[in-house]
Amino acid sequence: MLSSRVLLIATTAHLVHSRIYSSSRSFMDLKALLCSLNDFASLSFAESWDNVGLLVEPSPPHTVNTLFLTNDLTEEVMEEALRKKADLILSYHPPIFRPMKRITWKTWKERLVIRALENRVGIYSPHTAYDAAPQGVNSWLAKGLGVCTSRPIHPSKAPDYPTEGTHRVEFSVTHTQDLDQVVSALKEIAGVSVTSFSARADDEEQTRLSLNCTQQALMQVVAFLSQHRQFYQKTEILSLEKPLLLYTGMGRLCTLDESVSLETMIERIKSHLKLSHVRLALGIGKTLESPVKVVALCAGSGSSVLQGTDADLYLTGEMSHHDVLDAASQGISVILCEHSNTERGFLSDLRDMLDAHLENKINIILSETDRDPLHVI
């Protein structure tokens, strides 16, 4: 009897130890989690007008055990997140977009902030960063089309310049005795890097100087050169561009391996988005039997992204009446699925990707109350 009790105590102790160990692995510091989320999809991919990143932060230190995913953070969704003990809400759409002048109980968005802070819940929004990301919302939407190759309609630019500085200045020094004086003076300007190489012009050996410089340093370089015109000739000033990212950007232009009828494509899209109905505008001269080979798509509101793109079909959540007319007049059919219906399904894929990216360190759950506000009745 005694041995059984000892065994029971030992077993219980082992279970308690296991739970403590498991619990210790199910937390992440908020700052560490934000770094990991940025590694997954950099916020630098977001559009300049967007409001992305950490929008509400509880007083530090703040640890996260449960990450709650939603497409839209409404008051109903907030209550669900609180019931499920969320520590951080990842809301695809930013609940704070326009500046707030006060935080009162008057409007629903102000109340969201109050509820979050009262319950020590952070709010994070990636929005267009996830639209642009290679593994993001638009790539997920393209999965419903069938086997295809795709590329961004509007590629993103890399966050950094390929070299130091924003401009390159090149000029030739005609007299070698002046070279050291010129190089020495330029190197004293902060934000300038100097390289030189031999060149030949008009049967004369020259030294060509190439300067990479920041916007601020450029003005000082130009001022120096304008004061010492005897040192140089044939000056060129180039504005450096950030390189385009091949698989990152807004929208997707998808070319199917095999053409299908518009009717077949509609059924594929409805199945992928789990919708019973979509809205369709037939392009001029098109029928449900017309072939579809190229699809231009943009999750959410796609007018500005899709406009001017040559395709058989536009797929998006919503477009203005006149933009639909413009597309149809060009023989391009348009499928509209309502704004968030083209985004929400991505969250299931996101949960799986984040589980792997975060090495299962925290609990990640999906909202069950989040839904598009519009219904077909």
Side-chain angles (χ1 to χ4, degrees), residues 143-304:
K143 289 181 181 179
L145 305 180
V147 181
C148 64
T149 56
S150 68
R151 62 175 178 81
I153 296 173
H154 300 287
S156 299
K157 291 184 178 180
D160 301 310
Y161 289 92
T163 59
E164 181 183 353
T166 60
H167 291 77
R168 179 170 296 161
V169 180
E170 291 191 356
F171 59 92
S172 295
V173 178
T174 53
H175 303 292
T176 55
Q177 63 268 29
D178 298 329
L179 181 61
D180 290 342
Q181 184 179 351
V182 173
V183 171
S184 177
L186 292 172
K187 283 186 175 179
E188 290 181 1
I189 300 175
V192 174
S193 61
V194 183
T195 57
S196 62
F197 54 92
S198 298
R200 189 173 184 83
D202 301 325
D203 293 327
E204 181 182 9
E205 288 291 337
Q206 298 179 344
T207 300
R208 191 78 173 161
L209 292 185
S210 178
L211 285 59
N212 284 345
C213 53
T214 62
Q215 180 73 47
Q216 295 86 346
L218 176 64
M219 304 309 296
Q220 294 178 262
V221 170
V222 171
F224 171 81
L225 293 177
S226 65
Q227 295 168 11
H228 302 85
R229 294 183 180 180
Q230 72 277 15
F231 287 163
Y232 70 94
Q233 61 182 9
K234 296 180 180 178
T235 301
E236 295 179 299
I237 300 178
L238 306 174
S239 177
L240 301 178
E241 292 287 337
K242 296 177 180 179
L244 297 178
L245 300 176
L246 188 59
Y247 302 109
T248 304
M250 294 300 156
R252 292 294 183 270
L253 187 64
C254 307
T255 303
L256 299 172
D257 286 8
E258 296 183 6
S259 299
V260 297
S261 70
L262 177 58
E263 185 175 28
T264 297
M265 181 55 67
I266 291 170
E267 292 307 314
R268 287 182 180 181
I269 292 168
K270 288 162 66 176
S271 175
H272 183 56
L273 301 182
K274 297 179 174 58
L275 297 175
S276 57
H277 298 84
V278 296
R279 291 190 287 166
L280 170 68
L282 282 172
I284 297 299
K286 300 299 174 65
T287 70
L288 290 176
E289 296 305 316
S290 296
V292 173
K293 178 71 172 178
V294 179
V295 180
L297 62 83
C298 178
S301 181
S303 290
S304 61

